[in-house]
Amino acid sequence: MSSIRQKGVAKANPGGHAEESCARTEQARRRPEARTSTDTEMRAPDTVSPETRATPMMAQYLDVKAKNPDFLLFYRMGDFFELFFDDAVKAASALGIQLTKRGKHAGEDIPMCGVPVARADDYMQKLILKGFRVAVAEQLEDPELAKKRGPKAVVRRDVVRLVTPGTLTEDALLVSGRNNFLVALAKTGKGAAARYHIAALDISTGEFLLSEASAPDLGGELLRLRPAEVLIAEDELGDEASKAAAEVSGAALSPLSRACFGRAKGERALREAFEVAALDGLGDFTDGDLTAIGALLHYVNLTQMGERPALRPPRRDEPARLMAIDAATRASLELVRPKNEGAPTVFSAIDRTVTAAGARELMSRLVSPSADASLVNERLDAVAALIEDWALRERIRHILKTAPDMSRALSRLKLKRGGPRDLGAIRDGLRAGSEVATLLAASPAQPAHLKEATTALAAFTGDELGGRLARKLDRALVSVVPLLTRDSGYIAAGFDAALDELRELASSSKIVLAKLQADYAARTGVKTLKIQYNNVFGYFIEVSPGQASALMSEPHSALFRHKQTLASAVRFTTDELAALESRILTAQGDALAREQTLFAELSDAVLEQEDAIARAAQALACLDCVGGLAEVAQAQNYVRPRVDTSRAFLVEGGRHPAVEQALVREGGAFIGNDCRLDGAGERAPGFLVVTGPNMAGKSTYLRQNALIAVLAQMGSYVPATSAHIGVADRLFARIGAADDLARGRSTFMVEMTETAAILNRATERSLVILDEIGRGTATFDGLSIAWAVLEHLHDETRCRGLVATHYHELTRLADDLPRAGNVRMAVTEWKDTIVFLHAVESGPANRSYGVQAAKLAGVPKQVVTRAKQILAQLEAGAGPHGPLTLPTDMPLFSAPAAHHAADAPHPVLERLGALDVDSLSPREALDLLYALKKDLQVTDATG
């Protein structure tokens, strides 16, 4: 990213030489003269010379732009953000808005476009999605103050924020139910020993994660986090693992100077972020962790201009405590991202949450299933409790529907980017949390998961600091809170006496003046005394000349001061009236200023309870997630799995969660199937070879069992009638065919690469799902590869697995390998076609029914007929173990002859065409029909 104004760096780290060094390096790396452009581009000049004759405003713009060359500069001018030069050309094209011009610079028109400040977030979102980054330059002073410096003075402006994909905080720019992670990668080691240390921060919620991965696992790890932006050292841009992982995750890749990565930088940044003298209380950190953290927090510091986000303490996602799922498996299973736009995903099938935070928690659990059986069972206990007490679940979910997104509101307040609505979100969230805590406290014995939530929420129910804050926000804010601090009226009446007085002055000045006039008339006895106003004198007291002496003599002369004498009236003023006049004329502005002061005080009060509020927000998210899982389990008839450390995978009546719901919506029903695997080979085979025709449901069967493992280990009930799952440390699912032509890899090469990854990384605790291994090459080559792979997984890896194949020879493995077995997809034949029963039976299939499947798919009849002939000859010429004997009528050029024959008139049609129907007797016509029918049957039988 580009360098920013020095005061931003100084504010973040006064006297920090490493920070300044990193900033200087960034500035040098992205110096304007290093950029290239075409001759036709209108570019902002890098320097301002006397020859350019830039106006003061344009000179200011050029100066700010030179500091942020890689960003589109949103330059605030009144109610609009304006863009100039090449920025305007790019933005107008990307946003579809009008490109205009404003004056000239260096003899050429200056391209310009603009967006309203009120809708800036919408336009920024479009630009971010199209790969741009935005620098926001705001007016830093009142234009009236600039005028006092002279007629040509320019309002001070500077960049207050750099907007990048990984540093978004506004709701309009974010997906509510999904984290928006910024990730920094730090590589240690080389070659096969290389490790990638990952520091991930969602600046919008404060969630801060640490993990690490090997090169083969990096893609899956980034897909788990789904970052919006990945930071990498610029000298690592050639690292293939980093680039491929960022690409597969869909993240923007942002290179940083190597100077921004460093162990000391990370250690110092952590101490400053959490305001601690030592890191012992935050956990143990490796050198790689601190290097990644240093770059991450440095980038946040630069983009946020030194403002610190609300950070939770770093949480380490230990690889050994999670089910590892690689990138190919995540894509195959469609956990959160569908292969086809608009198609259902597993997440959409199980999501019954009612809050954005709950949806994020659910997604986090789904993409990061636990390998800790104890944690899984704690989560399952919580789901079971809310299934059993459905009334409590309904009341909690009803309350949660009123709970806003406290985490994101808290983050905006911490970054000084929040508004009254964010305070309102904290108030409403704490109110909901208090009500939920009361419900949970009144319920009987709770599982550990619910007890933790109750404890976090109870902090805002009593007379402690949290409870007082909740009540203070209740008193301070109106029920419907505006978005921005400049929109007055968000502080409730009665909360602040000074504000109430200012509001009364602003809205009821006539009443106040009338009261004062009545008071003065009563004091002086002059009933005709009036308080008047004009543009010259402002407010004044007016009486007739005959009554003026009463105000000019004792005791009233000390109160009333003479101001003007006219022929028909005498005017006076008082200190009280002068002060009232000043307050009336400035009351509206003062009222807004007072509200903003109160907003700042309330924000500070909230931030004093930052950690407790973050815990309460997380508790509500967990309750919503657990309640949603209980809801879907009851609605879809899911069952609690038995999860332990065994190597069992025993599922009865298993179903695919997304496919089942799609079938039900269309009026159909899903047929459940069993899957019995035992890695120890005691209760069931450790490996099953699945055979059967295409379209019979093999792929669905494979996926549903992989998903049952994922759902069970995330702590969810599963779509089955019973399930016993021994935790898997890794899940591999190679299903479907895909190429990678951009990297020069064919479909077969992609398959072999993924197969190699499975063979090298699977352990005896892994679950491996393989579909059609060995396709894409010669039959014997593919069969040999598939055979050898299965033997290796069975003998060496000894994992649990399902392998679907059309190589029926593989079914013989069950005779030779003690832990292998066979199942098949059931079909039945009817009238020369097949009917799929979608049921799994024991034993191997004896046919693949490929020709029948081709017929069902609409392959032309003559092709199907010819395929049947060839298949019959191939089967007749092939011994059980000997070479195939090819049919003699199968040369390359014999097939077209069959097509030409099919194009010739049918013999029966030729006979009908030659008939003289009028000359036939009824008997002759009947005999002819029988003959034609016989000829037709003979012709069809011979093709």
Side-chain angles (χ1 to χ4, degrees), residues 244 247 738-750 754:
E247 182 179 336
D739 56 33
D740 188 2
L741 298 181
R743 292 190 177 90
R745 299 193 301 176
S746 66
T747 302
F748 180 69
M749 182 55 70
V750 169
E754 293 174 357

Side-chain angles (χ1 to χ4, degrees), residues 392 396 435-444 446 450 453-454 457 623:
L392 174 63
I396 290 175
E435 293 176 13
V436 170
T438 302
L439 283 177
L440 289 173
S443 65
Q446 301 170 359
L450 297 186
T454 304
L457 296 174
L623 286 171

Side-chain angles (χ1 to χ4, degrees), residues 212-405:
E212 63 177 273
S214 62
D217 288 331
L218 184 58
E221 186 66 4
L222 288 192
L223 260 184
R224 178 178 75 86
L225 297 170
R226 297 180 73 195
E229 187 174 5
V230 173
L231 308 176
I232 184 174
E234 60 183 355
D235 57 4
E236 296 285 354
L237 279 174
D239 185 74
E240 287 299 324
S242 299
K243 287 199 302 184
E247 182 179 336
V248 76
S249 70
L253 192 62
S254 297
L256 291 180
S257 165
R258 170 56 69 181
C260 298
F261 291 78
R263 183 190 185 284
K265 178 183 285 292
E267 188 173 344
R268 182 173 54 255
L270 269 180
R271 287 200 305 266
E272 292 175 357
F274 290 95
E275 299 178 348
V276 295
L279 301 182
D280 298 351
L282 295 176
D284 297 324
F285 302 96
T286 66
D287 288 353
D289 293 336
L290 292 171
T291 301
I293 289 170
L296 179 78
L297 295 184
H298 168 76
Y299 191 76
V300 170
N301 182 50
L302 290 179
T303 57
Q304 306 309 305
M305 299 300 163
E307 297 292 350
R308 294 175 185 169
L311 299 181
R312 298 186 205 166
R315 186 189 82 220
R316 182 177 299 280
D317 286 342
E318 296 283 358
R321 293 175 63 86
L322 297 178
M323 173 195 275
I325 308 176
D326 65 10
T329 301
R330 292 181 186 277
S332 292
L333 298 182
E334 299 178 283
L335 296 177
V336 295
R337 183 186 294 175
K339 290 183 178 179
N340 300 315
E341 190 70 28
T345 63
V346 178
F347 176 76
S348 65
I350 65 170
D351 182 19
R352 297 295 188 276
T353 58
V354 295
T355 69
R360 292 196 298 270
E361 177 67 17
L362 176 67
M363 184 174 290
S364 174
R365 294 188 184 189
L366 176 62
V367 300
S368 308
S370 177
D372 182 343
S374 298
L375 175 60
V376 170
N377 281 300
E378 282 183 14
R379 291 176 173 179
L380 289 171
D381 288 343
V383 176
L386 293 185
I387 288 177
E388 183 176 350
D389 194 342
W390 62 267
L392 174 63
R393 181 179 83 239
E394 287 302 310
R395 289 196 294 271
I396 290 175
R397 284 167 59 80
H398 178 73
I399 294 170
L400 288 176
K401 289 177 182 178
T402 68
D405 199 333

Side-chain angles (χ1 to χ4, degrees), residues 567-602:
S568 59
V570 181
R571 293 171 175 173
F572 297 84
T573 188
T574 67
D575 291 342
E576 185 180 12
L577 179 60
L580 179 60
E581 175 184 10
S582 177
R583 292 201 303 273
I584 289 174
L585 295 179
T586 60
Q588 189 170 3
D590 288 347
L592 180 57
R594 180 59 183 165
E595 274 197 283
Q596 291 173 341
T597 298
L598 293 171
F599 170 81
E601 292 174 359
L602 290 170

Side-chain angles (χ1 to χ4, degrees), residues 494-646:
F495 177 73
D496 183 76
L499 176 60
D500 291 343
E501 183 180 349
L502 289 169
R503 284 175 171 170
E504 186 177 0
L505 283 174
S507 61
S508 309
S509 59
K510 290 183 179 180
I511 297 174
V512 175
L513 288 168
K515 288 180 179 179
L516 186 60
Q517 177 180 296
D519 180 50
Y520 286 164
R523 285 193 199 183
T524 61
V526 179
K527 296 182 179 179
T528 57
L529 180 149
K530 302 292 184 185
I531 293 180
Q532 306 282 13
Y533 176 85
N534 66 34
N535 291 329
V536 177
F537 291 105
Y539 287 100
F540 53 87
I541 300 163
E542 186 175 274
V543 296
S544 65
Q547 296 171 320
S549 59
L551 277 66
M552 298 174 72
S553 59
E554 292 294 340
H556 304 305
S557 59
L559 176 63
F560 296 95
R561 297 194 307 275
H562 179 261
K563 195 166 189 176
Q564 185 183 30
T565 299
L566 301 175
S568 59
V570 181
R571 293 171 175 173
F572 297 84
T573 188
T574 67
D575 291 342
E576 185 180 12
L577 179 60
L580 179 60
E581 175 184 10
S582 177
R583 292 201 303 273
I584 289 174
L585 295 179
T586 60
Q588 189 170 3
D590 288 347
L592 180 57
R594 180 59 183 165
E595 274 197 283
Q596 291 173 341
T597 298
L598 293 171
F599 170 81
E601 292 174 359
L602 290 170
S603 296
D604 289 343
V606 166
L607 294 176
E608 287 176 4
Q609 298 293 311
E610 175 188 332
D611 293 341
I613 292 173
R615 289 193 294 271
Q618 180 61 25
L620 291 179
C622 289
L623 286 171
D624 188 21
C625 174
V626 170
L629 289 174
E631 189 79 8
V632 73
Q634 201 159 45
Q636 300 296 323
N637 198 27
Y638 290 2
V639 66
R640 176 172 180 164
R642 174 186 169 191
V643 179
D644 55 27
T645 57
S646 71

Side-chain angles (χ1 to χ4, degrees), residues 144-155:
E144 294 301 320
L145 294 178
K147 291 179 182 178
K148 293 179 181 179
R149 297 199 301 269
K152 294 186 177 180
V154 179
V155 176

